[in-house]
Amino acid sequence: MCPRISVITITYNSAATIEETIRSVTMQDYPALEYVIIDGGSTDGTLDIVKKYQDKIQVLVSEPDKGISDAFNKGVARASGEIIGIINSDDILLPGALQEVAAHYDPKVDVYSGLILFWDENTDETFPSYPDVTFDKLRLQYNVAHPARFVRKDAYQRYGTYRVDLRYMMDIDLLCRFYKQGAKFLLVEKPLAKFRIGGTTNDPIYKKKDDYRAFVLSFGGSQWDFHRIWLQAVIKYNLIQLGYRLFGSNLKFKIQHNTFLKRLIPL
């Protein structure tokens, strides 16, 4: 079974990294691939790189947007595949990833959740991480593994797309809404993507406070729930930063993405 799979890359001024991302998608050995690139109006030469691969890109949009969620939604709206993946312009789709998703195809599955490799490009080390496939608690420690998740297009149509008012938690929010409404998740126990450490994921926790509040309240939490969860998140963030200063970035990300710290500081 070869379901049509659309892969979306959103980008804005990503000239330093986007070619590697594009090559990782266009070199997939998969016959039913649609590649969609949504550019936010780059001015740094990103589009010159993209146009080198124009014969392998089925949809290209370059225009201002309202942020990451808006760009995601533009891509989802234009994608024609039965299954949609999103690989950002600084991440890598691993060889054979689309074949692996297709091998697990089930028309009853809404979300395919693959393993992700967190990648420190400075040392070329990778740290594997399993995604969560259940979202039944009010907490913000889910491993979203965004580049290694593939979603049925009709699931977006049934359960909704990304909230444009969220800047950081849009993917967690989307998956929690899917889960709450009865979407079916399937774990694909193979690495599908490499996630480059950095970007908005590593922005200071204090920039994410409004997203935390909006997320907690939208899922029925109280202001007390928000303050409790926010305090725990800040404590965890500062412990990770301390580990980074003492032991370097490798230990920081090993701690951040294993289960020990989550057990130590349950959220």
Side-chain angles (χ1 to χ4, degrees):
M1 180 66 181
C2 286
R4 185 170 175 81
I5 300 179
S6 297
V7 176
I8 299 167
T9 293
I10 69 164
T11 180
Y12 178 70
N13 288 345
S14 306
T17 59
I18 193 169
E19 187 159 21
E20 194 171 11
T21 301
I22 292 174
R23 286 176 58 82
S24 77
V25 176
T26 58
M27 293 178 70
Q28 292 286 315
D29 183 19
Y30 190 74
L33 165 64
E34 176 187 57
Y35 196 16
V36 177
I37 294 185
I38 306 295
D39 176 73
S42 294
T43 58
D44 69 339
T46 293
L47 284 175
D48 293 331
I49 296 170
V50 170
K51 288 175 181 177
K52 289 169 54 178
Y53 299 89
Q54 198 156 13
D55 62 324
K56 298 181 179 180
I57 299 167
Q58 284 66 51
V59 179
L60 172 59
V61 175
S62 181
E63 62 187 19
D65 55 49
K66 299 175 183 176
I68 293 173
S69 291
D70 188 34
F72 283 167
N73 291 340
K74 287 182 180 183
V76 170
R78 288 166 172 80
S80 65
E82 183 178 353
I83 298 172
I84 299 174
I86 299 177
I87 184 84
N88 291 340
S89 58
D90 54 357
D91 299 327
I92 306 297
L93 194 62
L94 292 175
L98 301 187
Q99 291 280 12
E100 196 64 46
V101 173
H104 288 79
Y105 176 79
D106 181 338
K108 297 179 181 178
V109 170
D110 296 300
V111 183
Y112 298 84
S113 303
L115 279 64
I116 196 165
L117 302 179
F118 289 90
W119 174 36
D120 185 340
E121 63 178 327
N122 296 318
T123 64
D124 201 33
E125 286 190 274
T126 57
F127 313 114
S129 186
Y130 279 75
D132 280 343
V133 291
T134 59
F135 297 85
D136 55 348
K137 294 181 180 179
L138 183 62
R139 58 190 182 91
L140 285 174
Q141 295 305 305
Y142 306 112
N143 177 1
V144 173
H146 180 75
R149 287 193 190 266
F150 290 78
V151 179
R152 285 181 62 93
K153 173 142 181 136
D154 63 7
Y156 281 116
Q157 294 167 342
R158 281 181 283 128
Y159 305 129
T161 54
Y162 297 89
R163 285 177 56 181
V164 177
D165 62 316
L166 297 181
R167 295 183 58 200
Y168 297 100
M169 306 297 180
M170 71 287 286
D171 41 10
I172 296 174
D173 171 83
L174 178 125
L175 292 172
C176 286
R177 281 189 281 118
F178 274 37
Y179 188 82
K180 187 175 181 180
Q181 295 177 78
K184 183 175 180 180
F185 289 67
L186 177 70
L187 177 63
V188 178
E189 295 193 66
K190 293 287 182 66
L192 302 182
K194 284 183 12 179
F195 178 87
R196 192 188 305 257
I197 292 170
T200 58
T201 302
N202 283 355
D203 280 356
I205 188 72
Y206 307 102
K207 289 186 175 183
K208 303 176 182 180
K209 187 173 184 178
D210 288 342
D211 272 24
Y212 270 69
R213 179 185 286 108
F215 175 89
V216 171
L217 297 181
S218 69
F219 282 92
S222 65
Q223 287 288 347
W224 164 249
D225 290 321
F226 158 66
H227 288 298
R228 173 179 56 80
I229 290 170
W230 175 245
L231 176 62
Q232 291 171 330
V234 169
I235 291 171
K236 177 185 174 181
Y237 172 81
N238 283 298
L239 284 175
I240 291 171
Q241 295 305 307
L242 177 62
Y244 173 70
R245 289 193 294 272
L246 293 176
F247 304 109
S249 62
N250 288 350
L251 181 62
K252 170 186 175 181
F253 286 99
K254 286 177 183 177
I255 291 174
Q256 187 170 6
H257 298 296
N258 71 18
T259 58
F260 172 74
L261 190 60
K262 293 178 183 180
R263 289 196 301 267
L264 182 66
I265 311 174
L267 296 183

